[in-house]
Amino acid sequence: MNVNTIDNLYWTFVNHKEWNIYIAATSKGLCFVGSQNGAKQELLLFKEKYFPKIEMVNDEVQLEVYKKEIIEFLDGERIDFNLNVDFRGTAFQNVVWNALRSINYGETKTYSDIAETINKPKSVRAVGTAIGANPLLIIIPCHRVIGKNGTLTGYRGGLDMKKSLLKIESIY
């Protein structure tokens, strides 16, 4: 792909049972999954931060493959994703997000576990901050990260969404 090519940011709205989620993708892959019942403003803020110069295009067809896999997960019919992703973050965030992708369905890890996984055992707070910036809720399974004492801790999508996702995986 030509580096100078200006891509579009394709977006749509997933409305399935009690789930109402904005999603967005570039031609490279899914780049944003919003919070449950989140406002469109969440998507717009993401776009302004990571894609300020490209146009947003509402395109259900372009995003159908992503929407289908998310719905299958929400219905308990999918345990992992086979879709392309295009996450944008700092080098540290990308390392943390990739570590999150290694947490198996139905499993949880602590923030300390993730810090150990990336060989930064003293960076638990930084790991927490990177997890909080995860642009791909559900796909990058930060809902599987819990407090050291087993408690549910902060989640960009809210604790109700985290509980719902863990319930789908029979963890909570």
Side-chain angles (χ1 to χ4, degrees):
M1 177 195 278
N2 184 343
V3 180
N4 297 320
T5 302
I6 300 201
D7 199 357
N8 290 320
L9 182 66
Y10 304 99
W11 69 276
T12 195
F13 189 66
V14 177
N15 179 298
H16 181 71
K17 298 179 181 175
E18 72 274 6
W19 296 92
N20 298 293
I21 305 168
Y22 285 95
I23 63 172
T26 65
S27 58
K28 293 181 182 178
L30 191 66
C31 61
F32 177 81
V33 176
S35 55
Q36 184 179 21
N37 301 318
K40 188 175 181 183
Q41 185 65 22
E42 185 182 11
L43 171 60
L44 296 174
L45 289 171
F46 169 82
K47 185 254 186 233
E48 284 309 309
K49 182 172 183 176
Y50 294 103
F51 302 97
K53 296 182 193 260
I54 67 172
E55 186 178 342
M56 281 181 62
V57 177
N58 185 345
D59 191 332
E60 179 97 14
V61 174
Q62 183 81 15
L63 294 169
E64 186 59 36
V65 66
Y66 305 116
K67 189 174 177 178
K68 180 181 182 291
E69 287 200 18
I70 290 169
I71 289 170
E72 288 171 354
F73 178 86
L74 296 174
D75 283 343
E77 297 169 359
R78 171 173 291 281
I79 63 171
D80 51 23
F81 295 95
N82 299 316
L83 41 81
N84 292 327
V85 294
D86 181 12
F87 48 83
R88 311 284 174 111
T90 65
F92 182 76
Q93 287 171 330
N94 290 338
V95 167
V96 170
W97 298 340
N98 277 316
L100 295 176
R101 293 176 82 191
S102 71
I103 304 172
N104 293 322
Y105 183 93
E107 231 178 58
T108 58
K109 299 279 184 183
T110 66
Y111 294 90
S112 299
D113 292 336
I114 301 303
E116 290 283 340
T117 297
I118 64 168
N119 297 314
K120 301 267 186 199
K122 295 182 180 179
S123 299
V124 177
R125 282 186 183 220
V127 164
T129 300
I131 291 171
N134 172 13
L136 287 163
L137 299 179
I138 303 171
I139 309 304
I140 297 176
C142 57
H143 61 277
R144 296 177 187 153
V145 180
I146 60 173
K148 201 170 198 167
N149 60 1
T151 59
L152 297 187
T153 55
Y155 184 68
R156 181 173 68 83
L159 286 182
D160 286 340
M161 181 178 180
K162 185 171 189 163
K163 288 176 190 173
S164 294
L165 292 170
L166 292 173
K167 189 175 181 181
I168 289 168
E169 297 186 36
S170 299
I171 298 172
Y172 187 76

